[in-house]
Structures are given as structure tokens and as C-alpha cells.
């Protein structure tokens, strides 16, 4: 007897609704949920492999605890007892910064990862926080923080209504989109073209996305900021700027005009390897389009001028009047956002409130660069990281110089990993706490609903009951918080109750809250939900912008109401709301913030730098997901391989043969990979994907180990960073190739 259950897919930012077929407790099939209000049946091969991924025999079934140097299966009580016994003394003896925390990408895809790390960090009070953001989107947070006063105020391209999309360094046909949550991104791009709109793709590779475009520009890697500055220069020079409705909210317009003056198409063109006339054409098309959006991701973020590029993307949206208007780039309003406050000045966004101990990197959003983790563990002295907690993170593969980090992790006094696998990173842990497979977890997208192209809300409860011996990931995190804060043994619900109490006491004291003046304890008693995390979800929904406000709006959202709509509730297209968003000190968009102005000379200097003859970029594959899906047979193999792609002319010049091994060397190290000759990469550029290198002894990834690939991040030593955001330069760094016999 089989049944079906709904489950939002946790595997990428598109958040598709899946309909799972379940036999007993086993997921035997996954289809797109045709009735899902947001994804309407869309699914990709990763979602379709949900059952296989859920049942991967290499997933850990219970905690592992290291005794006498060997990781062995243990009970949950033993695991948490050890954490409590080892962590507190380290903090007491060496201070809070002796414990580092690493949060990886899948935290953004779990309820536990959204709800508990803040409490963990509060309990630890460490300044040594590292996340995948500094390998990814931190430049966007910095530019939004500086422009709008809120690092999470990230405008999203209005894919369904725009008539012109300028897309840089993103490949949504493989990635399914990022910082732009849009199930069926490919279909939305096709629809844009069908309704007469235009798509321009800027990417050194002729990707599947580029093939869909009206115009593909194979830019020289690392030069997007120059191109964007030049487009801005043309807009000013040709008097094509028209900020429209945002104009009254702007300050610094004339200063920006002045700042981009030097970046003429004639000066920038040769650096980007573009015809100056093409740059002018891009500027004119952008200005002429009835509506348009400029959107960039990894290829314009994990690069030398990542923050400047991300700043310029929004500067262009603003200059052309497309920020905050339908068809342009708008700020989503998710159901668990705080209720918008009245417009007015805010606290602003500060960078560098403290610095990393060894290299003096500025703090950004309370984080330090993940690329600096190894040195913070290895370098002796006060404040050295002696213990580490990782959750859903595999920095040995995803961050620069995994070999060094591997050695550093081996030298820690104590390490805890919350991870379903024993992999390249977790193999160093003293305690591994495995979450249950996704079918046994509830799902709500706290993060991605805030980047979605349509406001909507969906929640799915576990599709399969928690198996014997399993612990829900929320409970794992709650117990971890208790274990490190000296409350070991308390009921995990205590963490949720604490957060509920704090949130409600703030809300009742807030004159703008719908519950202003009411009794916090009485409101807490009204919360529904079968668990601590569900009560917190209920609380956030009810206090949120569409919420019932505990009775203030009887038609508003509650958990019960969301549960009554298993395919989700549509909350409509994105709406202009700039004034609600702005939190700068001036209360306006600060178009040329001081840290940006201070970084511009570096971009001007780049105008005169000679281009490297060969640079490396990454790539993603539809059936891959960073470092952790290579163990799923249905998703590995075929075209999903760790090869070095190179243009036929470069291959001929260097004497490289398709399929033969080549040695790739960069300033941080060297790796050997098979050559794949293809004209989909431009001349002067090679491409190697990340997340590979599954050959470390001690990991338990049988399928991945059969085809381990190599770790591209071994080419980097962690010293190449975008200075404003601390983000590693993972794209556009120089390499040399040596053919191997
Ligand atoms: N060269 C290069 N390097 C890159 C990139 C690149 O483009 N080029 N991309 C960067 C980017 S954008 C990112 S986001 C990072 C990602 O790098 P990481 O943040 O390290 O993330 P992943 O490799 O996705 O997975 C991390 C871990 O999460 C575990 N995991 C999976 N599901 C769950 C779960 O439900 N709960 C828990 N607790 N753990 C889970 C996996 O087993 C894995 O160990 O890599 C970065 N590294
Ligand atoms: N299938 C799959 N989906 C994923 C992931 C995955 O690993 N696999 N990872 C998820 C994660 S964590 C993220 S952050 C997103 C990322 O989502 P995307 O950013 O859409 O993903 P990428 O495929 O890395 O696209 C980056 C593109 O930038 C190009 N590029 C490199 N350097 C430059 C440059 O200097 N300038 C320009 N203009 N382009 C450049 C590359 O050729 C590549 O095509 O994807 C998410 N979705
Ligand atoms: S596109 Fe993303 S969310 Fe949708 S099924 Fe594929 S992996 Fe899952
Ligand atoms: Mo990412």
C-alpha cells in the first residue's frame, strides 16, 4: 500500500513542492506537486532523486563519538554528555573566542538551521563565526547593508513581469536560481522571451542559460565591476538616467556620476574583452526597456571586486528607475518577516566592528572570512580557536586550501559536527550528530521566502514519522545550545520557550506591533503547534506582515491556517515598498557609501592591469549540489564530472589532449584533472567545478569515493579576498597548465 505526502524540496533555492510516494516508511518516488501555489509541478532531477537521497545507505543512523581516537556509534545521551563535559571547560579556561562556529549552506535549507544558530551564538558569545556566505553572497549583503541600511534587503528581479533581464555570472538552468527563489527559472526565462522581452547573459562560458539568451557576452572573468561601472558611465554621459519614484529617496547621485567618470567604454572594453560599442548598446537597451532588471550571482560575487559589482548592479537598477517597481527589482515581503515599521532613519550598517586575530580581516555581519578559519585554528596565542562546531558545512572541500584546513581540524582540542555524513570535514569531529533524512523532517523556508519572486507561504510536516533512534534536527540543535550554555539536560523546548518569551516581550513593548500593550504570557499560551519549532513558526506568522496579530486581523495568517492549505497560500506578486525597507542613518538610499568610495581606486587601478593569459572559473551541474550529492548514484556520472574544460585553441596551443590528465597550478597549489575540450568556455579561460575531491581516508561516502574528482579549492591559499566582504575569490584567478604524459 502506498500513500503520497507533500514535502518542500530542500535541495536548492527554488523550493519546489514535491509530492512523495511512500511505501511503509520508504520514499519510492517524487513528482512535482502540480497544485503547489508557487512551483506548480516543476521538479528537477535532484528533486526526483529525493527517495534515493533520503535512503542513502551511507547516511549516519545515529551519533558517532570518538573514544581512544576512533569514532564509534554511540547513544544521544552519551554524545551530548561529552559535548557538555568538553565545551564548558574550554570556554571557561580560554574565553568565548576559543570556540569557533562554521555554518554551511544546507542550514539555510532546514528549519533547525534557521531557528537555532542565533541562540547557539548567543550562548557562546564567540566572535569566531564563519559561514558559507564568505564563499558566496556576502558581497550582496554588504552592498545592500550600505545602500539600504539592511544587509538582508536584497532586491529580486521580477522575473514574471520584466521586459529586459541583464543577467551576470549566474547559470539558473543548472543552479535553478539563487537570491532569486523561482521554481522553474528556466521556464520563466523562456516566458520572458515569448512575451517579447530580452535576455542578455554575461558569462565567460556559453552556458545553457546563455544559449537561451538574445545576447551572450563572453566577458573576461573578474571584470564585471568594470563593465557595470562603464554602463553607469554611459547612462550619465548620455543623460539616460531616470530614477523615477526612487529619486526623492536618493542621496549621492552626483557623486556616483563623478565616481564612474573614468570608466568609459573605450577604457573598460579592452579589460573586459568587449567592444566599446557593445557596452554602449547594453546601457542604451537597459535605459530604453519599459522595465528591466540587472541581476548577478556567483560569477559577479566570488570575484576580486565582488562588492563593487554587487553595488553597481543595484546602482544600475536605481539609475534606470527599475528599483522597487513592478518588472524591475523589488524587495519581497515574506510571511515571517517582521511587520514593516514606518519609514525613517535607522541604525545603518557598520563594517569592521572587530577584526580577525591573525590577518586582521574586518568583521562583516558578525562573520569572519571562512578562508581564514585554518589560520585562526593553527596560529598560537590568545584567542586561538581550540574547539569547533560545524553544522551542515564541509569547508575542507568548499573553502580555499582544504589540505591546510584538514591539518588544522586534526589539531583541534574538540570538534562537533551536525551532519548526516561522515565526510571530508566531519571525519575530524569528536562527536557527529546526524539529522534524520529529509522525509522525516518538517520544512519551512525562513530564508528563501525572503528572496522569492512571489510572496507566498508553505509549510510541510514530516512526510514519514521519525524513525526509532532518530532525533529531529531542531532537537539536536536545541540540545547543543543547552549543552554549551551550562544547561545540559534541560528539556529542549526550553530553548524555544525562551525565544518565544523574548520575542513576545519585545513585541508587546513595541508601539508598532499589533500586540502592543498585551500580556506576553497570555499570548504565548495562545500559540499552537505540535512542537517547539512549530510554536515558533506560529509566533512568527502571527506577528508577521500577513499575520493575524493574535486576533488583530482575524483573516490573517496563523500556523493552523497555513496547515489548512497544504499546497501553500499565494500572497501575490512583489509590491513596491522601498520606504519600509530603508534603514540607513539618513533614511535614504546612500548611493555612494564611504566604504564603497574607498574601494573604487582599486577598481580604477584594475583598468591598467594586464590580463592574465589563463584564468579559472567554476561551474555547476544540474545533478550536483556543492560538495554533498556525489554519493547518490542517480545524480552522479554522465556529464556531471570533475573535468577541466578548455577552449580548443588553448588546448592546441598548450598541447592538451581531450581526456588526458593536465596539471593545474595556481598561486595556492596544484591539482590534476582530466581535460575536456569544449568551445563552451571562451579563450583564455578554463573551468573546473567545486565540491569534488572525495578521496580522504576516514570518510564514509562509498559512491563518491569511486569517482572522487579533485578539489579545485586546493588551488587557492585563502589570501585572495574581496576586501570589503571577506569573500574568497573563487572565480577568475590565474592558473598555469602542464600536460601530463
Ligand atoms: N571553488 C568554488 N568553491 C565554492 C563555490 C564555488 O562556486 N566555487 N561555491 C561556494 C558556495 S556558493 C557555497 S554555498 C559553499 C557550500 O559549501 P558548504 O557550506 O560546505 O555546503 P555543502 O557542500 O552544500 O554541504 C555541507 C554539508 O551539509 C551536509 N548536509 C546536507 N544536508 C544536511 C542537513 O539537512 N542538515 C545538516 N546538518 N547537514 C546537512 C552535507 O553532508 C555536507 O557535509 O561552497 C562554496 N565553495
Ligand atoms: N545544481 C546545482 N544547483 C545549485 C548548486 C549546485 O552546486 N548545483 N549550488 C547552489 C548554491 S550554494 C548557489 S550559491 C547557487 C549559485 O547559483 P549560480 O550563481 O546561478 O550558479 P553558477 O552555476 O555557479 O553560475 C555562476 C556562473 O558565473 C560564471 N562566471 C565565472 N566567473 C565569472 C565572471 O567573472 N563574470 C561573469 N559574468 N560570470 C562568471 C560561471 O561560468 C557560471 O556559469 O546555486 C545553487 N544551486
Ligand atoms: S529545482 Fe531545486 S527545489 Fe526544485 S526539485 Fe530541483 S533541487 Fe529541488
Ligand atoms: Mo552558495
Amino acid at each position: 500500500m502506498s500513500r503520497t505526502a507533500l514535502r518542500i524540496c530542500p535541495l536548492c533555492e527554488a523550493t519546489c513542492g514535491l509530492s512523495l510516494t511512500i511505501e511503509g516508511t520508504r520514499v519510492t518516488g517524487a513528482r512535482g506537486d502540480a497544485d503547489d501555489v508557487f512551483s506548480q509541478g516543476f521538479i528537477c532531477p535532484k528533486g526526483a532523486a529525493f527517495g534515493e537521497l533520503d535512503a542513502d545507505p551511507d547516511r549516519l543512523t545515529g551519533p558517532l563519538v570518538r573514544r581512544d581516537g576512533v569514532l564509534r556509534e554511540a547513544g544521544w545521551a552519551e554524545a551530548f554528555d561529552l559535548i557538555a563535559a568538553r565545551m564548558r571547560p574550554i570556554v571557561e579556561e580560554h574565553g568565548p573566542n576559543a570556540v569557533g562556529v562554521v555554518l554551511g549552506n544546507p542550514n539555510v535549507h532546514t528549519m533547525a538551521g534557521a531557528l537555532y544558530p542565533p541562540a547557539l551564538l548567543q550562548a557562546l558569545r564567540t566572535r569566531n563565526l564563519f559561514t558559507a556566505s564568505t564563499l558566496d553572497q556576502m558581497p550582496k549583503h554588504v552592498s545592500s547593508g550600505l545602500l539600504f541600511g539592511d544587509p538582508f534587503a536584497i532586491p529580486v528581479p521580477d522575473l514574471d513581469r520584466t521586459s529586459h533581464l541583464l543577467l551576470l555570472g549566474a547559470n539558473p538552468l543548472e543552479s535553478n536560481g539563487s537570491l532569486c527563489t523561482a521554481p522553474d527559472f528556466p521556464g520563466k526565462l523562456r516566458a520572458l522571451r515569448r512575451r517579447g522581452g530580452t535576455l542578455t547573459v554575461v558569462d565567460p562560458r556559453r552556458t545553457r542559460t546563455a544559449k537561451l539568451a538574445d545576447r551572450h557576452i563572453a566577458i573576461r572573468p573578474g571584470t564585471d565591476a568594470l563593465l557595470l561601472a562603464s554602463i553607469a558611465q554611459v547612462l550619465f554621459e548620455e543623460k539616460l538616467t531616470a530614477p523615477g519614484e526612487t529619486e526623492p529617496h536618493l542621496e549621492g547621485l552626483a557623486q556616483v556620476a563623478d565616481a564612474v567618470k573614468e570608466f568609459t567604454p573605450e577604457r573598460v572594453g579592452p579589460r573586459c574583452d568587449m567592444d566599446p560599442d557593445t557596452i554602449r548598446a547594453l546601457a542604451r537597451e537597459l535605459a530604453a526597456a519599459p522595465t528591466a532588471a540587472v541581476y548577478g550571482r556567483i560569477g559577479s560575487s566570488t570575484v576580486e571586486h565582488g562588492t563593487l559589482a554587487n553595488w553597481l548592479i543595484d546602482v544600475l537598477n536605481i539609475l534606470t528607475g527599475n528599483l522597487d517597481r513592478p518588472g524591475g527589482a523589488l524587495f519581497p515581503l515574506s510571511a515571517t518577516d517582521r511587520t514593516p515599521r514606518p519609514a525613517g532613519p535607522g541604525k545603518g550598517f557598520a563594517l569592521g566592528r572587530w577584526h580577525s586575530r591573525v590577518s586582521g580581516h574586518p568583521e562583516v555581519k558578525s562573520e569572519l572570512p571562512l578562508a581564514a578559519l585554518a589560520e585562526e585554528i593553527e596560529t598560537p596565542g590568545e584567542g586561538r580557536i581550540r574547539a569547533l562546531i560545524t553544522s551542515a558545512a564541509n569547508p575542507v572541500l568548499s573553502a580555499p586550501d582544504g589540505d591546510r584546513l584538514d591539518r588544522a581540524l586534526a589539531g583541534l582540542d574538540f570538534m562537533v559536527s551536525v551532519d548526516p555524513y561522515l565526510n571530508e570535514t566531519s571525519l575530524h569531529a569528536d562527536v557527529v550528530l546526524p539529522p534524520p533524512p529529509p522525509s522525516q523532517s518538517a520544512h519551512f523556508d525562513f530564508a528563501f521566502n525572503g528572496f522569492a519572486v512571489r510572496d507566498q507561504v508553505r509549510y510541510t510536516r514530516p512526510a514519514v514519522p521519525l524513525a526509532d533512534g532518530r532525533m529531529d534536527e531542531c532537537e539536536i540543535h536545541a540540545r547543543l545550545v543547552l549543552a554549551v550554555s551550562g544547561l545540559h539536560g534541560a528539556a529542549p523546548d526550553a530553548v524555544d520557550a525562551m525565544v518565544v518569551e523574548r520575542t513576545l516581550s519585545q513585541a508587546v513593548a513595541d508601539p508598532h506591533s499589533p500586540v502592543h500593550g498585551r500580556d506576553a504570557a497570555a499570548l504565548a499560551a495562545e500559540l499552537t503547534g505540535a512542537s517547539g519549532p512549530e510554536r515558533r513558526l506560529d509566533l512568527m506568522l502571527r506577528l508577521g506582515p500577513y499575520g493575524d496579530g493574535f486576533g488583530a486581523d482575524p483573516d490573517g495568517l496563523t500556523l493552523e491556517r497555513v496547515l489548512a492549505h497544504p499546497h501553500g497560500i499565494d500572497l501575490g506578486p512583489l509590491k513596491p515598498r522601498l520606504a519600509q525597507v530603508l534603514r540607513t542613518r539618513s533614511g535614504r538610499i546612500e548611493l555612494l557609501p564611504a566604504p564603497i568610495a574607498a574601494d573604487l581606486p582599486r577598481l580604477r587601478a584594475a583598468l591598467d592591469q594586464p590580463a592574465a593569459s589563463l584564468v579559472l572559473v567554476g561551474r555547476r551541474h544540474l545533478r550536483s549540489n556543492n560538495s554533498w550529492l556525489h554519493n547518490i548514484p542517480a545524480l552522479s556520472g554522465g556529464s556531471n564530472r570533475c573535468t577541466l574544460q578548455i577552449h580548443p585553441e588553448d588546448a592546441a596551443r598548450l598541447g592538451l589532449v581531450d581526456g588526458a590528465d593536465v596539471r593545474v597550478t595556481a598561486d595556492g597549489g596544484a591539482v590534476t584533472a582530466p581535460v575536456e575540450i569544449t568551445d563552451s568556455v571562451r579563450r583564455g579561460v578554463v573551468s573546473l567545478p567545486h565540491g569534488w575531491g572525495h578521496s580522504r581516508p576516514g570518510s564514509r561516502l562509498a559512491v563518491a569515493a569511486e569517482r572522487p574528482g579533485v578539489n579545485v579549492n586546493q588551488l587557492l591559499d585563502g589570501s585572495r579576498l574581496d576586501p570589503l566582504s571577506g569573500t574568497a575569490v573563487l572565480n577568475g584567478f590565474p592558473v598555469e597548465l602542464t600536460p601530463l604524459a
Side-chain angles (χ1 to χ4, degrees):
M1 255 278 286
S2 73
R3 63 185 177 95
T4 59
L6 300 177
R7 208 303 181 183
I8 299 164
C9 180
L11 298 175
C12 90
E13 298 181 35
T15 72
C16 301
L18 304 181
S19 172
L20 304 178
T21 308
I22 295 164
E23 279 164 50
T25 56
R26 205 178 161 91
V27 178
T28 54
R31 285 178 299 116
D33 171 18
D35 297 321
D36 185 286
V37 295
F38 192 34
S39 64
Q40 293 159 355
F42 183 76
I43 189 171
C44 87
K46 286 191 296 302
F50 188 99
E52 200 176 299
L53 176 142
D54 202 62
D56 183 353
D58 279 341
R59 272 181 188 268
L60 301 174
T61 52
L64 301 178
V65 168
R66 193 175 300 277
R67 299 275 184 211
D68 307 320
V70 184
L71 275 176
R72 297 175 212 278
E73 288 178 13
W76 291 101
E78 183 185 349
F80 285 107
D81 284 349
L82 186 68
I83 296 170
R86 296 293 305 279
M87 280 296 195
R88 292 304 304 164
I90 293 175
V91 176
E92 273 150 29
E93 190 176 338
H94 302 288
N97 294 336
V99 182
V101 175
V102 182
L103 302 175
N105 171 276
N107 282 301
V108 211
H109 296 269
T110 64
M111 291 181 72
L115 294 177
Y116 299 90
L120 180 73
L121 292 163
Q122 205 161 27
L124 289 169
R125 290 187 303 110
T126 176
R127 286 184 168 179
N128 280 316
L129 168 64
F130 307 83
T131 83
S133 296
T134 51
L135 307 171
D136 187 347
Q137 84 290 0
M138 194 60 100
K140 188 85 249 172
H141 289 305
V142 173
S143 90
S144 282
L146 294 172
L147 280 167
F148 311 122
D150 176 356
F152 288 98
I154 295 178
V156 165
D158 192 0
L159 291 186
D160 291 326
R161 292 180 292 183
T162 194
S163 49
H164 183 86
L165 183 64
L166 173 56
L167 182 148
L168 304 106
N171 187 10
L173 265 80
E174 306 283 355
S175 71
N176 277 305
S178 181
L179 292 186
C180 176
T181 282
D184 198 10
F185 206 128
K188 289 181 188 298
L189 293 181
R190 288 186 197 103
L192 159 70
R193 297 211 49 207
R194 265 202 310 276
R195 64 177 179 264
T198 49
L199 170 67
T200 300
V201 171
V202 180
D203 196 307
R205 301 186 306 119
R206 196 174 64 255
T207 60
R208 285 172 60 216
T209 308
K211 285 182 191 154
L212 216 69
D214 298 271
R215 192 202 285 267
H216 168 219
I217 292 162
I219 193 170
R220 178 174 287 139
T223 64
D224 294 42
L226 290 170
L227 168 64
L228 295 162
S230 191
I231 294 177
Q233 190 274 340
V234 175
L235 293 177
F236 283 113
E237 187 190 63
E238 302 190 359
K239 304 208 168 12
L240 297 173
T241 60
E245 310 258 306
T246 58
E247 183 124 32
H249 299 281
L250 289 180
E251 64 175 47
L253 198 58
Q255 287 84 339
V256 171
D258 199 48
V260 298
K261 232 191 224 137
E262 263 178 75
F263 299 96
T264 60
E266 282 64 33
R267 291 214 59 199
V268 163
R271 278 293 290 131
C272 302
D273 202 8
M274 282 176 69
D275 183 349
D277 287 340
T278 306
I279 301 179
R280 287 210 166 77
L282 291 183
R284 290 171 192 152
E285 285 166 19
L286 195 62
T291 58
V294 187
Y295 162 74
R297 272 307 275 127
I298 288 294
S300 56
S301 190
T302 55
V303 288
E304 246 180 283
H305 303 283
T307 301
L308 290 184
N310 276 279
W311 166 71
L312 283 159
I313 283 169
D314 283 327
V315 166
L316 291 182
N317 283 326
I318 292 164
L319 293 181
T320 52
N322 284 301
L323 185 79
D324 201 43
R325 83 162 165 197
L330 297 114
F331 301 97
L333 183 62
S334 96
T336 53
D337 277 339
R338 269 169 303 183
T339 309
R341 271 134 219 256
K347 283 201 202 116
F349 176 71
L351 288 161
R353 293 164 298 169
W354 57 86
H355 291 78
S356 73
R357 183 179 63 102
V358 180
S359 291
H361 297 300
E363 151 285 333
V364 179
K365 235 168 111 276
S366 304
E367 297 183 25
L368 297 171
L370 192 44
L373 173 61
E375 67 182 23
E376 292 295 333
I377 298 173
E378 280 180 342
T379 313
E382 173 127 5
R384 178 170 83 81
I385 296 177
R386 293 161 190 270
L388 194 69
I389 299 174
T390 71
S391 176
N394 193 6
V396 170
L397 294 190
S398 43
D401 199 351
D403 286 347
R404 182 178 179 190
L405 189 56
D406 176 72
R407 290 190 300 274
L409 296 180
L412 285 166
D413 293 352
F414 190 66
M415 176 171 161
V416 179
S417 288
V418 184
D419 205 288
Y421 287 105
L422 192 63
N423 65 11
E424 297 76 12
T425 297
S426 61
L427 70 86
H428 288 291
D430 295 285
V431 179
V432 185
L433 304 168
S439 63
Q440 296 175 30
S441 307
H443 191 89
F444 188 89
D445 281 299
F446 290 100
F448 298 121
N449 287 345
F451 304 125
V453 296
R454 239 186 126 79
D455 294 327
Q456 41 72 43
V457 59
R458 296 164 299 153
Y459 172 61
T460 47
R461 281 184 160 162
V464 170
L466 204 59
D468 271 356
R470 286 288 190 182
M471 187 180 279
D472 185 78
E473 189 165 2
C474 287
E475 184 175 340
I476 293 175
H477 275 260
R479 288 193 185 277
L480 190 57
V481 172
L482 295 169
V484 303
S485 45
L487 297 168
H488 178 48
D493 277 10
V495 177
D496 303 304
M498 219 161 56
V499 176
V500 166
E501 191 192 297
R502 196 182 317 127
T503 310
L504 278 173
S505 45
Q506 278 167 5
V508 296
D510 176 357
H512 305 301
S513 168
V515 295
H516 178 61
R518 292 179 63 182
D519 177 49
L523 296 176
E526 276 186 41
L527 292 173
T528 68
S531 62
E534 279 200 350
R535 280 189 290 280
R536 288 175 66 183
L537 175 57
D538 190 31
L539 174 68
M540 291 164 84
L541 290 168
R542 298 176 80 166
L543 289 182
Y546 311 90
D548 84 333
F550 290 83
D553 174 5
D555 296 329
L557 292 182
T558 61
L559 175 65
E560 270 178 7
R561 205 178 161 103
V562 173
L563 281 169
H565 294 80
H567 305 283
I569 299 174
D570 182 40
L571 300 168
L574 305 186
K575 296 156 198 74
R577 59 185 212 89
L578 177 65
Q580 290 173 357
V581 167
L582 291 176
R583 281 292 166 269
T584 51
R585 283 173 181 275
S586 61
R588 309 173 85 194
I589 299 177
E590 296 177 0
L591 212 49
L592 186 59
I596 295 282
D599 198 27
L600 277 167
R602 204 170 54 91
L603 190 64
R604 287 193 195 101
L607 282 170
D608 301 317
Q609 272 157 19
S613 60
L614 206 58
V615 296
L616 186 141
V617 300
R619 66 175 187 270
R620 281 176 162 76
H621 191 285
L622 184 57
R623 284 182 291 115
S624 207
N625 194 12
N626 297 326
S627 76
W628 71 282
L629 287 191
H630 299 137
N631 209 51
I632 312 302
L635 298 177
S636 38
S639 56
N640 182 13
R641 293 184 306 140
C642 184
T643 57
L644 185 89
Q645 294 184 337
I646 185 166
H647 189 273
E649 283 177 22
D650 289 324
R653 178 171 57 87
L654 295 164
L656 297 175
V657 182
D658 194 71
D661 278 349
V662 61
R663 185 100 178 132
V664 188
T665 312
D667 54 9
V671 296
T672 298
V675 172
E676 180 185 346
I677 298 178
T678 163
D679 67 1
S680 67
V681 287
R682 52 160 281 161
R683 290 169 196 80
V685 175
V686 293
S687 170
L688 194 62
H690 73 285
W692 297 85
H694 305 288
S695 54
R696 289 183 196 268
S699 57
R700 202 180 292 169
L701 298 162
V703 177
E706 282 168 28
R707 286 216 275 170
V710 294
N711 179 5
V712 65
N713 288 322
Q714 211 47 56
L715 297 170
L716 297 162
D717 62 11
S719 60
R720 287 176 186 271
L721 300 179
D722 166 44
L724 273 179
S725 66
T727 303
V729 175
L730 305 171
N731 280 289
F733 57 87
V735 293
E736 281 173 25
L737 302 183
T738 326
L740 295 180

